[in-house]
Amino acid sequence: MLEGNDDPQLQAEGELSLARMALDSGDLNHAANHLAGAVAWSPGHPEVRELMGQLVREHGAATPDLFDIKGSAFIGTVVARAYALGSLGQHAEAFQLLVSASAYDPSMPWAEVDWMSDPHIAEAIHPEITVRAMMRLATALADPVTDPAVRAASAPYLTFVSNAVAAHSYYGLLIGVASSISRRAGSLEQALAWATQAVQTDPTAMTELYLASVYRSMKQVDAAAQSFERAIAHDPLNLALYSDLAELYATHQQLPKALQWIDKAMAIDPDYDCVVHVGQRLRFEQDHDARHLIQLADFASAHPGSDCNHEDLTAACWEEPWLGFVPASTESCTNLLSQAVEQKIDGPITMSVSSFEPPSAITAITRTFPGSSVTTGPAPGADPHRPLRTVRAQVWTPDGQPAVAPPSQRAVAALQQTAQFRLGNPPAAYDHAVSLAGLSLDDLLGVLVHPVAPPSDGDIPWHDYPALWIRVVQTWACLGMLHHQADEPWQTSARREVLVDLTFGAEDWVTETALFALITAAWVDQSSREDVANVVRDRFETLKSAYAVRPVTIAPSLARLALLTPQIDGGTREFAAEILAETDD
């Protein structure tokens, strides 16, 4: 609600002045609107309470009706209605409205009213109402709350629920939800005491879950696991509990135990979404086989209506090259480039490399330091500057110069807006690249070899990482090609043709990014998988010949990509693993 440098106190006072003027003229509706505005700016302002008291004294039971919350209500109106109801002794409805406001914005002190600390009011409100409201509040709070403003704004609820527990000590679920609020507030000892009391009072799956959650926050893994297991014994068909227990074990480096519980859950329901998401992520964490993530992506695509907000695919991909981010280059010349940028060298660079390095890598130097000279040694075998087979789309000439025209300014702007280091996961990257769908193939080919200037704003100072920025742009340009005439059948499509041509073109970073785009297509379109797997296999057959006679700087990256390919054959998988093993050595 706050904009710019607006002072909440001044804004509230302005609204209060307008409210008084409207009240003096007998315009109650406008007075109520401005009072609601003042509440939104500063709910604790003394004059807010004073004016609300005046309205209640003069209009009694009709006061809450001045604050209509039907439909999509303004939050100030919701809280003002709660204050009016509270002043009239209608605390149950007032309490629920305050919780609604706090769930919307937990940082505002909506609940700082005197009656929230009254034990008699906490006793008078039915515990079921308190439970439902506190559950809603708990879902809106971080776990734990670290924001001082949120912690302060939540304090009245902790006082209220403490009084409610004292008054309704027989109600286990209420005591359990009190422990949840206390745990989020950082009062772990109190949370443990309440959760233990809840289980003793009413041993159910829910109260055991509250106790398990406290032990988990206290990093008492064995005690938390025992509580989870008791919860499962109470409700063996609640597969979310299995998932939570698996997460607990995985977080504390006990993957075999975690996967045992995933297997137990899947034996009951192999399609339960929480278990599938967590299970596939943990299986990938165990053996780093991308087939688990491909299966997870397929499951998510086939079950789009999940009630849960799953981030397991992104979490699993986050630290993985070509899954969660665009990997950096490894060429000698770009290593030197990084040193030159770091040392703020002013002027051209002259260097000699003993073997072939990709045109994009050399372009990164000559573009960053104009006038630079890079010479490379001989390349035994087939000339890596030339395509591996007859292709229509070529972006480099045999002497390593751009073979296509520069992109339009529209394309440059689109790539600057879209390109980012983080991919999220392959399906997410595919979706993000849809913003490039309107660009022509000529433009997308142009940005591959005519470096786009990095944006001046953003989270990453791209001018410090010129080589990586070029790779990022090339990656998103190739992903953009996947959206070119996307209604064409894959096998005969222009998007397939151009990406396959680039894959078999000059040995370059573009080879990597084109292959990544093809593999991304296979992740999102199962009908393309056999074809893409064959393309990857064929490209690796050509890689074997070059790899046998000279260093191939892009080989480790291509190997990682091969292992991400759906339905890749065993021979290619084995060769890719050998390349990576040699690289690691």
Side-chain angles (χ1 to χ4, degrees):
M1 293 178 299
L2 303 184
E3 296 181 3
N5 297 317
D6 289 332
D7 185 317
Q9 295 296 314
L10 291 177
Q11 292 291 335
E13 288 167 8
E15 292 286 354
L16 286 165
S17 296
L18 293 171
R20 291 192 197 93
M21 291 172 59
L23 197 58
D24 290 343
S25 66
D27 190 343
L28 289 179
N29 288 329
H30 277 92
N33 287 341
H34 288 297
L35 179 54
V39 168
W41 283 104
S42 182
H45 197 293
E47 294 183 33
V48 165
R49 310 297 169 81
E50 179 184 327
L51 191 55
M52 180 63 71
Q54 179 183 341
L55 279 176
V56 171
R57 288 192 300 273
E58 294 177 359
H59 301 282
T63 306
D65 293 337
L66 295 173
F67 304 99
D68 185 5
I69 58 171
K70 294 176 183 176
S72 180
F74 172 51
I75 193 167
T77 305
V78 173
V79 178
R81 182 179 176 87
Y83 291 166
L85 289 166
S87 298
L88 292 167
Q90 300 178 43
H91 296 112
E93 184 179 350
F95 173 66
Q96 293 174 84
L97 289 176
L98 290 180
V99 171
S100 296
S102 294
Y104 176 77
D105 185 353
S107 67
M108 289 292 285
W110 311 118
E112 288 185 0
V113 289
D114 292 341
W115 57 264
M116 282 287 289
S117 60
D118 188 333
H120 299 293
I121 292 174
E123 180 180 8
I125 295 177
H126 194 284
E128 186 60 35
I129 292 176
T130 302
V131 166
R132 288 199 301 267
M134 289 297 94
M135 284 182 169
R136 181 176 184 184
L137 178 64
T139 60
L141 296 177
D143 188 6
V145 173
T146 56
D147 185 334
V150 176
R151 183 168 289 190
S154 303
Y157 293 113
L158 199 55
T159 300
F160 180 93
V161 79
S162 179
N163 289 332
V165 167
H168 304 286
S169 57
Y170 60 89
Y171 206 95
L173 196 55
L174 171 62
I175 306 169
V177 80
S179 78
S180 179
I181 299 297
S182 180
R183 174 170 56 83
R184 285 169 166 79
S187 303
L188 292 182
E189 293 301 327
Q190 179 62 74
L192 179 59
W194 274 336
T196 302
Q197 181 185 348
V199 169
Q200 293 169 347
T201 303
D202 184 16
T204 65
M206 196 67 189
T207 54
E208 286 287 3
L209 177 59
Y210 284 127
L211 182 57
S213 298
V214 178
Y215 280 131
R216 180 174 57 194
S217 295
M218 299 176 79
K219 295 182 171 54
Q220 296 187 27
V221 180
D222 291 341
Q226 291 168 13
S227 290
F228 273 122
E229 289 193 29
R230 289 194 297 269
I232 291 170
H234 283 296
D235 189 1
L237 295 182
N238 185 347
L239 299 189
L241 294 172
Y242 295 70
S243 177
D244 288 344
L245 179 52
E247 287 272 33
L248 171 71
Y249 279 129
T251 301
H252 294 276
Q253 289 73 53
Q254 298 184 50
L255 270 177
K257 286 185 178 180
L259 290 171
Q260 285 175 9
W261 284 98
I262 291 295
D263 290 340
K264 289 179 181 180
M266 295 194 75
I268 298 170
D269 183 357
D271 291 328
Y272 186 75
D273 60 347
C274 288
V275 171
V276 173
H277 280 259
V278 173
Q280 297 290 26
R281 172 170 58 82
L282 296 184
R283 293 187 199 284
F284 176 75
E285 187 176 327
Q286 183 182 52
D287 61 19
H288 271 68
D289 189 332
R291 285 174 287 193
H292 301 307
L293 301 186
I294 295 167
Q295 291 172 19
L296 176 53
D298 289 348
F299 181 87
S301 177
H303 300 80
S306 171
D307 293 333
C308 302
N309 181 24
H310 294 295
E311 298 294 338
D312 294 275
L313 182 58
T314 298
C317 292
W318 192 253
E319 298 297 336
E320 301 295 326
W322 291 124
L323 284 176
F325 64 92
V326 179
S329 59
T330 59
E331 283 77 18
S332 299
C333 59
T334 53
N335 291 338
L336 176 64
L337 172 61
S338 297
Q339 296 173 24
V341 171
E342 184 178 352
Q343 296 171 14
K344 302 186 183 327
I345 290 177
D346 183 17
I349 295 172
T350 300
M351 70 174 298
S352 177
V353 184
S354 60
S355 60
F356 171 83
E357 296 206 343
S360 288
I362 296 172
T363 298
I365 286 188
T366 57
R367 181 63 177 258
T368 307
F369 295 100
S372 293
S373 173
V374 180
T375 57
T376 60
D383 184 356
H385 282 109
R386 297 182 180 277
L388 294 164
R389 64 189 193 188
T390 302
V391 298
R392 294 176 60 187
Q394 282 190 73
V395 292
W396 295 111
T397 65
D399 59 353
Q401 298 301 311
V404 293
S408 67
Q409 284 304 307
R410 175 171 173 260
V412 169
L415 265 298
Q416 288 173 331
Q417 181 70 27
T418 302
Q420 56 189 34
F421 170 67
R422 283 289 172 189
L423 298 167
N425 59 67
Y430 174 84
D431 289 343
H432 183 68
V434 73
S435 61
L436 304 174
L439 299 182
S440 68
L441 280 180
D442 286 343
D443 270 340
L444 291 170
L445 291 170
V447 300
L448 294 176
V449 292
H450 296 279
V452 172
S456 57
D457 55 356
D459 297 334
I460 298 177
W462 283 117
H463 288 284
D464 294 339
Y465 306 98
L468 180 57
W469 169 248
I470 290 174
R471 288 173 63 81
V472 165
V473 170
Q474 291 172 333
T475 298
W476 288 99
C478 288
L479 288 170
M481 293 176 195
L482 289 178
H483 295 278
H484 177 73
Q485 297 180 4
D487 57 335
E488 292 182 341
W490 171 256
Q491 198 65 36
T492 57
S493 66
R495 62 190 186 281
R496 177 194 180 277
E497 180 183 10
V498 71
L499 287 168
V500 171
D501 280 357
L502 294 175
T503 297
F504 287 90
E507 186 178 302
D508 189 61
W509 295 349
V510 171
T511 310
E512 303 170 55
T513 58
L515 201 61
F516 170 66
L518 287 168
I519 294 165
T520 299
W523 275 60
V524 299
D525 177 9
Q526 295 186 36
S527 68
S528 71
R529 287 184 178 176
E530 182 178 358
D531 173 63
V532 171
N534 289 337
V535 171
V536 175
R537 179 202 62 204
D538 292 348
R539 183 61 182 84
F540 263 69
E541 287 300 316
T542 62
L543 175 62
K544 284 181 181 179
S545 301
Y547 195 72
V549 297
R550 63 175 174 83
V552 180
T553 61
I554 66 171
S557 181
L558 294 181
R560 290 190 181 92
L561 287 166
L563 295 178
L564 305 181
T565 306
Q567 300 181 9
I568 193 64
D569 65 285
T572 302
R573 179 180 293 277
E574 183 178 344
F575 180 46
E578 290 175 4
I579 292 174
L580 291 178
E582 292 174 5
T583 304
D584 291 340
D585 292 342

